[in-house]
C-alpha cells in the first residue's frame, strides 16, 4: 500500500479513456440484462442510467459515480461489478456510471464549462445535472444510496454516512472490508469541517442550510433516508482504489 506522492495541488494519477469506457460499460450492462435509460447527450457523449429489477424485490439500491472528472476509480469499479454480475437477488438496482464525460475526458473535477456538478443540485445550472435529476425523478425511492468518489488529498479511504432513520447502516462494514486492501483515513478533520473517526464521518447539517447541494443531498431530500458517499484516496495506484471501491460495494450490498 504505497502512497505515490504524485498529487501536488490536484490529481495527477492514471486517467480513463472515457469514450471507450462508456461504450464498454453500455455493452457489458446490456449483455447482462440491465435496461438502459438514455437521459442526455453531453459533448457528443451519451449519458445512461441502468436498471435491473428482479421478480420480487424487497429493497431498492442506487449506485452512482463519475460526477467528478478527476476521479476515475469509481467508474472503473462500477464496470467491474457489472462484469462480475454478482448482485443480491432481492434488490432492485439503479446505477449511473458517469454524468461528467467532458470532465473525465479532460481529467478535471468540473465539466467543460467549469461547473462542479456535485455542487449543482439545488439551483441547477448544468445540462448534466438537469438531465440526471430528471431521470432520478422517474425512479422509485431507494432504501440505500451509494456514491463513489475519490479525494486527491486523503491519506486513506473514508465514508460519509447520513442515516436519517438511525437504522442499521453499512458504513462500519464497508470500512472493515476496505481495510484489507487499502489504508483507512486516520482520525482527522476532513475539509476543515467534518470529524472523521476510524474512516467514518456523520455530517449533520440540514439541507436547507446548505447553499449548494451535492448529489447526496438531492437524494436525501427527494429519494432516500440512507446515503453513503465513499471516498478513495487517489494518491494510491488506480488498481488499489478500484479494488477498495469494489469491496466496499460488495460489503454494502451483503
Ligand atoms: Zn468527488
Amino acid at each position: 500500500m504505497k502512497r505515490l506522492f504524485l498529487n501536488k495541488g490536484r490529481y495527477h494519477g492514471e486517467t480513463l479513456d472515457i469514450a471507450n469506457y462508456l461504450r464498454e460499460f453500455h455493452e457489458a450492462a446490456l449483455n447482462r440484462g440491465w435496461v438502459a435509460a438514455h437521459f442526455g447527450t453531453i459533448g457528443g457523449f451519451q449519458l445512461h442510467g441502468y436498471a435491473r429489477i428482479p421478480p420480487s424485490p424487497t429493497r431498492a439500491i442506487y449506485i452512482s459515480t463519475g460526477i467528478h472528472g478527476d476521479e476515475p476509480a469509481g467508474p472503473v469499479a462500477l464496470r467491474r461489478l457489472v462484469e462480475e454480475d454478482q448482485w443480491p437477488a432481492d434488490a432492485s438496482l439503479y446505477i449511473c456510471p458517469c454524468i461528467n464525460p467532458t470532465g473525465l475526458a479532460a481529467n478535471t473535477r468540473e465539466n467543460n464549462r467549469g461547473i462542479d456538478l456535485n455542487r449543482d443540485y439545488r439551483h441547477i445550472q448544468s445540462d448534466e445535472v438537469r438531465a440526471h435529476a430528471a431521470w432520478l425523478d422517474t425512479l422509485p425511492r431507494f432504501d440505500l444510496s451509494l456514491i463513489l468518489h475519490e479525494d486527491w488529498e486523503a491519506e486513506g479511504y473514508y465514508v460519509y454516512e447520513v442515516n436519517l432513520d438511525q437504522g442499521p447502516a453499512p458504513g462500519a462494514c464497508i470500512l472493515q472490508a476496505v481495510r484489507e486492501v487499502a489504508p483507512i483515513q486516520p482520525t482527522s478533520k476532513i475539509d476543515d469541517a467534518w470529524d472523521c473517526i476510524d474512516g467514518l464521518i456523520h455530517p449533520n447539517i440540514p439541507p436547507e442550510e446548505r447553499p449548494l447541494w451535492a448529489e447526496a443531498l438531492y437524494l436525501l431530500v427527494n429519494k432516500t433516508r440512507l446515503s453513503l458517499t465513499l471516498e478513495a484516496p487517489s494518491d494510491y495506484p488506480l488498481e488499489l482504489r478500484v479494488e477498495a471501491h469494489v469491496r466496499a460495494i460488495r460489503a454494502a450490498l451483503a
Side-chain angles (χ1 to χ4, degrees), residues 165-181:
D165 293 331
Q166 302 295 312
C173 293
I174 287 172
L175 288 159
Q176 197 57 40
V178 167
R179 202 179 290 275
E180 294 168 21
V181 293

Side-chain angles (χ1 to χ4, degrees), residues 67-71 109 116 118 148-151 229 231:
I67 193 168
H68 284 146
D70 57 350
E71 302 177 9
R109 176 180 173 96
D116 183 342
N118 204 34
L148 301 177
H149 279 263
E150 301 206 80
D151 182 339
T229 300
E231 299 272 357

Side-chain angles (χ1 to χ4, degrees), residues 109-161:
R109 176 180 173 96
E110 299 82 7
N111 73 357
N112 61 354
R113 292 170 54 210
I115 300 173
D116 183 342
L117 301 182
N118 204 34
R119 298 290 179 271
D120 195 36
Y121 282 83
R122 185 162 193 176
H123 309 290
I124 298 176
Q125 304 292 316
S126 66
D127 295 337
E128 291 91 335
V129 171
R130 198 170 296 113
H132 182 232
W135 173 65
L136 285 172
D137 291 348
T138 68
L139 305 180
R141 288 185 63 83
F142 311 127
D143 298 284
L144 170 64
S145 126
L146 300 162
I147 307 179
L148 301 177
H149 279 263
E150 301 206 80
D151 182 339
W152 66 266
E153 293 173 290
E155 293 171 65
Y157 200 96
Y158 63 92
V159 175
Y160 294 95
E161 182 175 82

Side-chain angles (χ1 to χ4, degrees), residues 133-232:
W135 173 65
L136 285 172
D137 291 348
T138 68
L139 305 180
R141 288 185 63 83
F142 311 127
D143 298 284
L144 170 64
S145 126
L146 300 162
I147 307 179
L148 301 177
H149 279 263
E150 301 206 80
D151 182 339
W152 66 266
E153 293 173 290
E155 293 171 65
Y157 200 96
Y158 63 92
V159 175
Y160 294 95
E161 182 175 82
V162 181
N163 180 4
L164 296 176
D165 293 331
Q166 302 295 312
C173 293
I174 287 172
L175 288 159
Q176 197 57 40
V178 167
R179 202 179 290 275
E180 294 168 21
V181 293
I184 303 300
Q185 176 74 11
T187 291
S188 55
K189 281 268 186 218
I190 296 289
D191 293 340
D192 288 328
W194 310 110
D195 286 317
C196 178
I197 297 167
D198 290 334
L200 201 50
I201 300 170
H202 289 110
N204 62 351
I205 295 183
E208 60 274 16
E209 291 176 21
R210 305 284 290 275
L212 304 174
W213 284 2
E215 178 187 8
L217 275 185
Y218 184 83
L219 293 167
L220 285 160
V221 169
N222 295 294
K223 304 301 291 186
T224 193
R225 306 276 298 166
L226 179 58
S227 163
L228 284 87
T229 300
L230 315 181
E231 299 272 357

